Amino acid sequence: MEPSRSSPTGSAGAETAGGPDGAGRPFPGSPGRAPGGSGRDGRRVAFTFRSAVLATGVLLAVAVFVAGTGYRYDLYAEQPLTIGSDVPTEARPLQQLTARLRGRQRALAVRLDALMPKGVYIVIDQTQNRLYLKRGNETLLQAVCSAGSGMVLRESGGKKREWVFDSPRGRFEVRTMLRDPVWRKPDWAFVEEGQPIPRNPADRLDYGTLGEYALYFGDGFMIHGTLYERLLGRAVSHGCIRVGREDLRKVWANSRIGTQIFIY
C-alpha cells in the first residue's frame, strides 16, 4: 500500500517541493513569489549570518591583539652553571674540601646506624594501611592492616562525652603480649551500639573479637586480629591496628616485649 500524498494546492510545501530531479526548486508561476526568489533569499540570509560571525571573530582577534591577554611572555634563556664563591677552584684546596665532606658523610652514616632500631621492629603506615616487619633495612613482612577511622562519636545523653577514633603516631614499644586476648569493652562500645552501659564488669568481656594474639603498646592500643578481614586495607578501626590471621602469626612469632613500633 502506497503512502498517501498531500495535495500541493495552496501549501507552502508545494511551492518549494522538488521537481523530477529533486533539486528543491519552486514550481514556475507560484503565487506571490518570483521565480527562484526563495533560494536566493535563503542564500542571502546564510551569507549575511556567516559574514556577521566572521566579522565578530575578526573584531575579537583585533581586540585581543591590542589589549593583550594579561600574560607576559619572556623568551627562555638557559643560564650557565655557576659555582658558589665558597667552593675553591684550585686543585689542592678542592681536594681538601672534598676530604672534609667525605669525613662528614662517614660521621653522619655512623650516627644514622646508631639511631637504627636494633633487631626486629614494626613500622605502620596509616595512610596506606600497611604494616612492615623489619630487621635493619630488610623487610621481613609486608601486611595489609587497618588503622583508626578518624570518626567522632558523641554521646547523646548522660555525660555528653566525645570519642575520636584515631590511631596514635610516634614511637612505641610492645609492653604486653597476649594470647587469646579478651576485650574488655569500654563505654564507647555500648554508646556506639546504642546499648546501656552495663554495671556488671563481666558484661563487658568480649571473647574472640581480637583474634588469636594481641600486642599491647599503651593507652589501650594494640596490634591484634580481626573477624572482618575483608575490611583490611581500609581505615575502619577504633584506633587499634588490625591485622589478618596469618600475618598476625608472623608478627607474633618475631616480636618480644620491648619490640619497637613506629606509627606514622
Side-chain angles (χ1 to χ4, degrees):
M1 179 176 181
E2 296 183 359
S4 59
R5 299 178 181 178
S6 58
S7 172
T9 305
S11 67
E15 297 176 355
T16 58
D21 59 356
R25 291 188 293 271
F27 286 102
S30 299
R33 204 178 286 251
S38 174
R40 292 179 181 177
D41 290 345
R43 287 193 295 271
R44 188 179 297 112
V45 171
F47 176 76
T48 303
F49 178 74
R50 286 196 297 269
S51 300
V53 172
L54 180 61
T56 302
V58 172
L59 290 176
L60 288 175
V62 172
V64 170
F65 177 78
V66 174
T69 61
Y71 293 94
R72 179 181 175 182
Y73 300 93
D74 294 326
L75 294 177
Y76 172 75
E78 185 175 357
Q79 300 297 324
L81 180 63
T82 58
I83 301 178
S85 58
D86 55 341
V87 178
T89 56
E90 297 181 1
R92 184 173 179 79
L94 185 59
Q95 291 176 356
Q96 294 174 348
L97 176 61
T98 302
R100 288 197 300 271
L101 291 176
R102 287 176 178 171
R104 185 179 179 184
Q105 181 183 18
R106 288 192 296 269
L108 291 174
V110 171
R111 292 180 60 185
L112 287 175
D113 288 340
L115 294 173
M116 179 71 71
K118 301 298 185 291
V120 175
Y121 59 98
I122 299 169
V123 178
I124 296 169
D125 179 355
Q126 292 194 57
T127 302
Q128 302 297 328
N129 282 295
R130 293 293 185 273
L131 180 147
Y132 302 91
L133 188 66
K134 300 178 71 70
R135 180 189 292 116
N137 292 323
E138 180 186 3
T139 300
L140 305 177
L141 172 69
Q142 176 179 336
V144 179
C145 65
S146 287
S149 66
M151 296 183 62
V152 179
L153 175 65
R154 295 182 176 88
E155 191 175 19
S156 59
K159 301 178 182 179
K160 304 289 185 180
R161 290 171 293 178
E162 181 179 285
W163 296 271
V164 181
F165 299 133
D166 278 334
S167 295
R169 299 175 186 269
R171 176 186 175 279
F172 309 90
E173 63 181 36
V174 177
R175 298 184 180 182
T176 306
M177 299 180 66
L178 305 173
R179 189 188 300 267
D180 296 325
V182 178
W183 183 33
R184 184 181 181 276
K185 297 174 66 173
D187 289 353
W188 59 256
F190 298 94
V191 173
E192 185 178 47
E193 296 172 358
Q195 298 179 358
I197 298 175
R199 296 179 179 272
N200 185 357
D203 294 335
R204 292 178 177 268
L205 302 182
D206 191 316
Y207 298 86
T209 300
L210 303 182
E212 296 177 337
Y213 307 105
L215 290 77
Y216 174 78
F217 57 91
D219 295 331
F221 295 105
M222 294 176 282
I223 300 173
H224 61 76
T226 177
L227 298 176
Y228 308 101
E229 293 197 8
R230 66 183 183 278
L231 299 179
L232 290 174
R234 306 179 189 178
V236 295
S237 84
H238 296 92
C240 290
I241 306 300
R242 301 179 183 176
V243 186
R245 175 182 297 178
E246 296 302 322
D247 292 329
L248 182 60
R249 289 174 177 175
K250 296 177 183 178
V251 172
W252 171 271
N254 288 275
S255 299
R256 58 178 176 78
I257 302 298
T259 295
Q260 296 187 66
I261 303 172
F262 299 89
I263 306 178
Y264 66 95

